[in-house]
Each structure stands twice: as C-alpha cells, then as structure tokens.
C-alpha cells in the first residue's frame, strides 16, 4: 500500500470514528490519559520557568484556558503554552511502540480548539482519540535518523487528525490535514535535551500549533494528500513505512498500550530508577560503583554532570542517584535548590551507563534495565526490571494510582477539580465552561 493510500484510509477511519462505538476499556483508558495529562500540565504550569514563558508570551484574551495559568487566551497560544507545560517536567504519558509521546503532540491543540468551538464531550473525546491513535501509528511508521529527538516530528500528523475530526471535516479533507501535518515536522536533535535546552519543550508546542494549521488548511481546501509523510518523515528525517498506519486499524487501540510516568525524568531512566528504589536502604557512603545496563535507546543518557533541570532529567546517573538519596524523583529534586545536592552529585559520579546486548534484544516489548551496586566489603547487589512501573505491560496504573501520583504533586483541591473536569467531559454538551475552570486552578 502506498503512503497516499494509507493516509486516505486513515482519513476515512478518523472521519467515521464515533465515541459511542469505541470499546469501553479504551474509553476508560483515554479518560485516564486525559486525567494524567491535565494534571501534569498544571504541575508544569506552576514551575517558575513556565510562568516566565507565559508572562513573556503576553497571551491575548480568548476562549481557551491556559491550564493552571490564570487566564483564557487564543487557541494557538493555549495549544503552544499548554503543550510546553505538559512536557516541562518529563511527566507526560508516553508510548514505547510509538517511541515517544502521542498525547502531548496533539491533546493541547484539540482541547483548545474544542473550548473555542463549544464542542460536546463525545465529539471532543473522539477527536482526542483520533489524535492519539494517528500520532502513535505515525510513530510506529517512522524511524528517525540516529541522534534525532522524537518531539515535534511524527506527532504533528496526530494533532492534525484530531483537529480535523473536531472541525467535522469529511474523509478526504481529514487525509489532507494528516498529509499537511506530516509535512510540518521539527528536526530536533537529541543532544539539545541532553544539554538541558528547553527548545525541546517548544517542539511539542510547534507540533500542536502546526496540527491546528494543517487542519485549518484542509478546511479551507488548500491542503492535499500527496504522500508527504514518505518525503518529510522518510527521505528527510529517516525512513518511513506506511504499513503501520493501517495495521489492525479499528482493532488495536494504541492508547491501551501506553505508559504513565511516576518519575519526573526521561522515560529511558525510569527502569533504572525503579531498580534503584528497590535497593533503598543501602549504606550510600560505602558505594564504590553503580553500573546501569540499559538498551540502546537509553545508551546516550550517561552524563554525570548537568547545569539545568532538563539536563538532569536526561541524565541516568542523576536519576539513579536522586532515587537512592531521596527515595523519589519528583520535581523538587531537579529544581534549582535540589539538583545540586552534594550527595546526589557524589553518587552520580560513581554511575556508569552501558548498553547491554541482551537487554537491547528485548526491544520494543521491553525497555529493561539492570542495576548493579558494588560496595566495599559486600557482595554486589543486582536488580533487573523489564519495563518501568506504569507501563501497560508492567504494573499498569489505574485511576487510583494516577490520582495518588497527582496527589504527591498538587494540592487536594486542584486534583479534585482536574478529576471533575476529566470525568465530566463525556456527558457535557459544551465542554468550554468546564475546560475554562482549569485556568484558575
């Protein structure tokens, strides 16, 4: 099947998607993704760097909430700023088969547009599901060149699909929107994240705004489905196989296969953090070396120094040391006053990161890690985990778990409001007023 044909089939599927026809387990899972996403957006919005960005933006008044930001603004400003807040602390939901974050690529755009349109709950949820599923399929279909970061590339097509669905476009125009979205990727380098450069967060803002633009282009009749993904995501950014775009379409729901994050750090560090937490209680002063074995996707996160929050979140030595010292990898440990803890610095200097062929062979179903702690006068301690806690295939999180996670990071009143908004959407004839409640929390 050609890329043009595959995108046309996706457009037809998105246009015909009805919330009432979605299996109940998948509806529940999307609701959980929405709950988690809104909650971590609030946490991100309360960080000083995100507040400074919103202030510098000087957002004009409009119909869409700046989640946790105190104002309602234009659709595009809300989409950009909410997306960057959602990714600010590396807490947003992700997907190992898509090799990235489908929800963050399009959820903020869909919600901002839905608030503007006064869309119903069922139509909004169908659009959110379309955005997630199309983004995940594009993630499966795309193999980025070595060194590229996945933010802002393949996920634009999902944002375009969700916004086109919300606009009620027919199948051919949805396909045109998806094609146009795939032609608007960011070529971001992974080293920017390792260097702690927040431009990495902006790539998700760009994805959401570009998805909006692609859907508006399709609505205006100035977009076409010509096979752009094979050129932009394939020839330019890596390689592209259209097969995964339609594989088990309408039978497999990728939203069911994602993971929630209990650590504020890159997902590649999570299995090692879980293993470290399983060894809490060690005499850290006696530690001589910590060897972290991982898969090739996480093999570049071995820096033992950092000069920013984001740089720390992309350092496996920092995350492992923070887990052992603090017993958690919450936002406080990477904040300005926390990440220079001398105990963490000293322990991180003893961490060596290595790619293990046996763990690499278990991709993509497992993102495993093996942590060995060598101590003076004692036998080495070894803990291996197959996936991070929160993965759909390894200690998956239910609603109570997500609420408990948010409860560690937010006050009870805020968590209750986010929960009320997220769970109330399916029955809402106009989600605008409910979403705008999120501006003032």
């Amino acid at each position: 099947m050609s890329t043009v044909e595959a995108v046309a089939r996706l457009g037809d599927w998105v246009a015909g998607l009805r919330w009432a026809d979605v299996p109940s387990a998948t509806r529940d899972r999307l609701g959980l993704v929405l709950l988690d996403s809104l909650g971590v957006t609030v946490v991100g919005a309360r960080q000083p760097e995100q507040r400074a960005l919103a202030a510098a933006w000087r957002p004009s008044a409009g119909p869409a909430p700046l989640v946790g930001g105190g104002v309602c603004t234009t659709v595009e400003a809300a989409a950009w700023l909410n997306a960057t807040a959602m990714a600010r602390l590396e807490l947003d939901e992700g997907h190992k088969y898509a090799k990235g974050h489908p929800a963050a690529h399009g959820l903020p755009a869909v919600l901002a547009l839905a608030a503007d349109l006064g869309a119903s709950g069922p139509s909004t949820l169908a659009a959110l599901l379309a955005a997630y599923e199309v983004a995940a399929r594009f993630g499966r279909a795309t193999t980025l060149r070595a060194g590229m970061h996945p933010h802002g590339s393949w996920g634009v097509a999902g944002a375009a699909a969700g916004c086109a669905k919300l606009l009620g476009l027919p199948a051919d125009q949805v396909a045109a929107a998806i094609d146009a979205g795939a032609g608007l990727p960011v070529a971001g380098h992974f080293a920017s994240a390792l260097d702690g450069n927040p431009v990495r967060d902006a790539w998700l803002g760009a994805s959401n705004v570009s998805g909006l633009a692609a859907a508006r282009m399709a609505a205006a009749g100035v977009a076409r489905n010509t096979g752009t993904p094979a050129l932009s995501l394939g020839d330019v950014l890596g390689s592209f196989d259209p097969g995964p775009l339609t594989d088990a379409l309408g039978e497999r729901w990728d939203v069911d296969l994602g993971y929630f994050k209990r650590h504020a750090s890159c997902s590649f560090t999570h299995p090692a953090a879980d293993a470290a937490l399983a060894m809490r209680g060690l005499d850290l002063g006696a530690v001589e070396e910590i060897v972290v074995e991982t898969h090739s996707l996480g093999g570049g996160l071995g820096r033992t120094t950092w000069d920013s929050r984001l740089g720390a979140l992309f350092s496996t030595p920092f995350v492992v040391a923070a887990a052992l010292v603090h017993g958690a990898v919450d936002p406080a440990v990477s904040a300005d006053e926390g990440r220079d803890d001398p105990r963490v610095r000293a322990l991180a200097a003893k961490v060596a990161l290595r790619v293990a062929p046996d763990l690499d062979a278990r991709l993509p179903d497992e993102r495993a890690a093996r942590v060995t702690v060598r101590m003076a006068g004692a036998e080495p301690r070894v803990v291996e985990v197959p996936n991070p806690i929160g993965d759909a295939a390894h200690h998956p999180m239910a609603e109570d778990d997500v609420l408990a996670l948010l409860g560690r990071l937010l006050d009870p009143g805020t968590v209750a409001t986010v929960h009320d908004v997220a769970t109330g959407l399916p029955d809402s004839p106009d989600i605008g007023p409910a979403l705008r409640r999120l501006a003032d929390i």
Side-chain angles (χ1 to χ4, degrees):
M1 180 181 298
S2 71
T3 299
V4 170
E5 293 170 323
V7 171
R9 281 193 58 191
L10 266 185
D12 186 62
W13 178 79
V14 169
L17 180 64
R18 295 178 64 252
W19 182 244
D21 297 336
V22 177
S24 60
T26 300
R27 293 201 302 266
D28 290 345
R29 178 69 181 193
L30 181 68
L32 203 56
V33 171
L34 179 62
L35 170 65
D36 179 78
S37 298
L38 292 175
V40 302
T41 300
V42 177
V43 179
R46 292 182 174 180
Q47 303 309 304
E49 54 267 47
Q50 187 67 23
R51 291 187 183 278
L53 177 62
W57 209 274
R58 299 176 61 198
S60 302
L66 203 57
V67 176
V71 298
C72 289
T73 184
T74 63
V75 172
E76 281 74 13
W80 186 291
L81 292 169
N82 288 336
T84 56
M86 187 173 168
R88 177 67 62 190
L89 294 168
E90 271 294 305
L91 281 166
D92 52 305
E93 185 263 7
H95 198 282
K96 64 188 177 187
Y97 297 107
K99 306 176 290 291
H101 301 260
H105 276 91
L107 182 148
V110 171
L111 290 178
L113 182 60
D116 180 33
L117 297 176
S120 71
S123 63
T124 300
L125 291 164
L128 290 171
L129 184 59
Y132 193 106
E133 295 296 313
V134 171
R137 287 174 175 276
F138 267 83
R140 288 176 180 265
T142 304
T143 301
L144 296 172
R145 296 188 190 283
M148 285 200 63
H149 195 286
H151 278 9
S153 54
W154 45 258
V156 185
C163 292
K165 174 67 175 175
L166 201 57
L167 291 172
L169 302 186
D172 60 336
Q173 289 181 298
V174 174
I178 293 171
D179 184 274
L184 294 168
V186 171
H189 201 287
F190 210 102
S192 295
L194 300 178
D195 292 338
N197 191 327
V199 70
R200 184 214 66 130
D201 303 331
W203 298 335
L204 285 175
S207 173
N208 281 270
V209 173
S210 291
L212 277 163
R216 297 191 197 281
M217 289 170 62
V222 295
R224 298 175 60 203
N225 175 19
T226 61
T228 299
L231 305 175
S232 56
L233 299 175
D235 292 352
V236 176
L237 299 186
S239 62
F240 187 81
D241 174 10
L245 297 186
T246 57
D247 179 41
L249 186 61
E251 300 172 12
R252 184 194 71 232
W253 299 90
D254 269 322
V255 72
D256 294 337
L257 306 177
Y259 57 80
F260 295 112
K261 301 176 75 173
R262 66 173 186 152
H263 309 304
S265 62
C266 173
S267 66
F268 298 156
T269 71
H270 284 214
D274 290 341
L277 289 174
M279 289 190 258
R280 280 275 289 170
L282 296 174
D283 178 4
L284 299 184
V287 172
E288 295 179 333
E289 183 185 37
I290 302 173
V291 177
V292 177
E293 295 174 276
T294 186
H295 48 77
S296 56
L297 296 175
L301 277 63
R303 298 186 185 186
T304 56
T305 61
W306 50 87
D307 61 4
S308 67
R309 183 202 290 273
L310 187 60
L313 301 187
F314 275 80
S315 163
T316 296
F318 168 83
V319 171
V320 168
L324 288 170
V325 169
H326 297 294
V329 191
D330 283 347
V333 306
S334 60
D336 289 346
E337 61 276 15
R339 65 176 174 269
D340 288 326
D341 186 314
R343 298 170 298 169
V344 174
R345 290 269 186 190
L347 198 57
K350 299 178 182 180
V351 176
L353 183 67
R354 301 170 185 168
V355 174
D358 64 314
L359 302 185
D360 211 37
R362 287 149 65 177
L363 291 172
D365 293 324
E366 293 187 8
R367 287 185 172 181
R370 185 164 50 239
V371 177
T372 302
V373 178
R374 297 189 172 94
M375 306 175 65
E379 289 294 315
R381 289 282 305 278
V382 182
V383 174
E384 180 178 316
V385 296
N387 274 304
I389 291 173
D391 188 282
H394 183 66
H395 297 289
M397 291 187 184
E399 182 178 78
D400 286 348
D401 300 307
V402 172
L403 289 172
L405 169 65
L406 297 179
R408 291 202 334 253
L409 307 173
L410 297 167
D411 59 277
T414 296
V415 174
T417 299
V418 171
H419 184 254
D420 287 348
V421 170
T423 57
L425 289 193
D427 299 321
S428 176
D430 175 358
I431 68 164
L435 288 180
R436 286 187 279 274
R437 290 178 61 195
L438 299 173
D440 295 323
I441 57 178

